Amino acid sequence: AAVMNPSLLVKSTLQDHGWNFGLDLTYLNGTVKSDVREVGAPTSSGEKESKHKPGYIPVIAAVNRVNEHLVWGLVYYGAAGSMVDFKDEVTHRKVKVEYGMARLGVAAGYIEEKFSFGLAPLYNMGNFAINTAEEATGEQSSRKPDRQGAFGFQIGATLFLFDEFNLSLTYLRTARFEYKSIVDLDAYTVTGKPDGT
């Protein structure tokens, strides 16, 4: 509830002033395959598999019931991610992509009879890097991910119609990140000459 819709926190079965702690860890190890065809080339590179390392997506939450109407909590969770690493593939320009986003927030839900409202101010944290084969050495570059932060919020509302049927809506405000020094796009122009920025 703290992640998906803060208005659902009110359904916690905690007693007044009681706390509930939760930890969830998702193991992420997807198989990514890619086939590259250069412009004008008669054949493709053939299917290559990414050599990226596995990752983990955490969810940590602590929830407290204040009284029969109000429940609040703290939450930290991985919200998005992507990783590929073609470090041994010249045809893929040895591209390596690292992207991750997480949210840290305070969530609260309030219920009156059969209607609840929830609010969660959020701090969004993102990191992003793209490394490719360097022009001079041919080796994969080693730029560290650029880390950015942005504030946002999530609101929610739920109408508890019957014991087994609820109508719930939520809105998550867009978080905008301005990443810097991610990749030298000049390397992919007609001249293919990167300027190092």
Side-chain angles (χ1 to χ4, degrees):
V3 173
M4 299 304 296
N5 186 337
S7 69
L8 295 172
L9 285 171
V10 298
K11 294 302 282 183
S12 168
T13 57
L14 286 169
Q15 300 296 318
D16 287 1
H17 310 297
W19 282 90
N20 191 337
F21 298 91
L23 171 65
D24 179 81
L25 198 62
T26 300
Y27 176 70
L28 181 64
N29 189 20
T31 299
V32 179
K33 295 181 179 179
S34 175
D35 186 353
V36 174
R37 182 188 298 270
E38 294 284 346
V39 176
T43 59
S44 71
S45 66
E47 194 171 69
K48 309 293 184 182
E49 187 171 325
S50 167
K51 305 288 193 306
H52 68 272
K53 295 178 181 177
Y56 300 90
I57 303 175
V59 177
I60 304 169
V63 177
N64 173 251
R65 175 173 289 283
V66 177
N67 53 42
E68 63 180 313
H69 299 286
L70 180 63
V71 178
W72 75 281
L74 303 171
V75 63
Y76 171 84
Y77 62 100
S82 174
M83 49 189 178
V84 296
D85 189 358
F86 292 98
K87 61 184 178 183
D88 300 323
E89 307 300 340
V90 176
T91 56
H92 289 62
R93 295 185 187 262
K94 298 189 177 182
V95 69
K96 178 180 182 182
V97 178
E98 299 171 89
Y99 169 69
M101 191 176 94
R103 294 190 176 106
L104 176 66
V106 178
Y110 182 86
I111 187 169
E112 194 67 52
E113 296 183 356
K114 293 191 174 185
F115 177 78
S116 71
F117 174 79
L119 173 65
L122 300 168
Y123 181 67
N124 301 277
M125 299 160 284
N127 62 79
F128 188 30
I130 300 177
N131 283 287
T132 60
E134 293 182 323
E135 195 74 14
T137 65
E139 296 301 314
Q140 190 181 73
S141 57
S142 57
R143 275 187 297 275
K144 298 293 184 188
D146 183 38
R147 301 182 189 284
Q148 297 292 327
F151 287 98
F153 64 87
Q154 184 174 19
I155 57 174
T158 300
L159 184 60
F160 300 99
L161 299 173
F162 309 106
D163 288 341
E164 298 179 4
F165 183 79
N166 308 320
L167 179 62
S168 189
L169 299 172
T170 189
Y171 168 77
L172 179 63
R173 184 178 183 273
T174 301
R176 297 186 182 277
F177 301 104
E178 293 186 11
Y179 295 108
K180 299 176 179 68
S181 301
I182 299 304
V183 65
D184 190 348
L185 293 175
D186 291 321
Y188 303 97
T189 61
V190 175
T191 60
K193 295 180 180 178
D195 61 7
T197 60

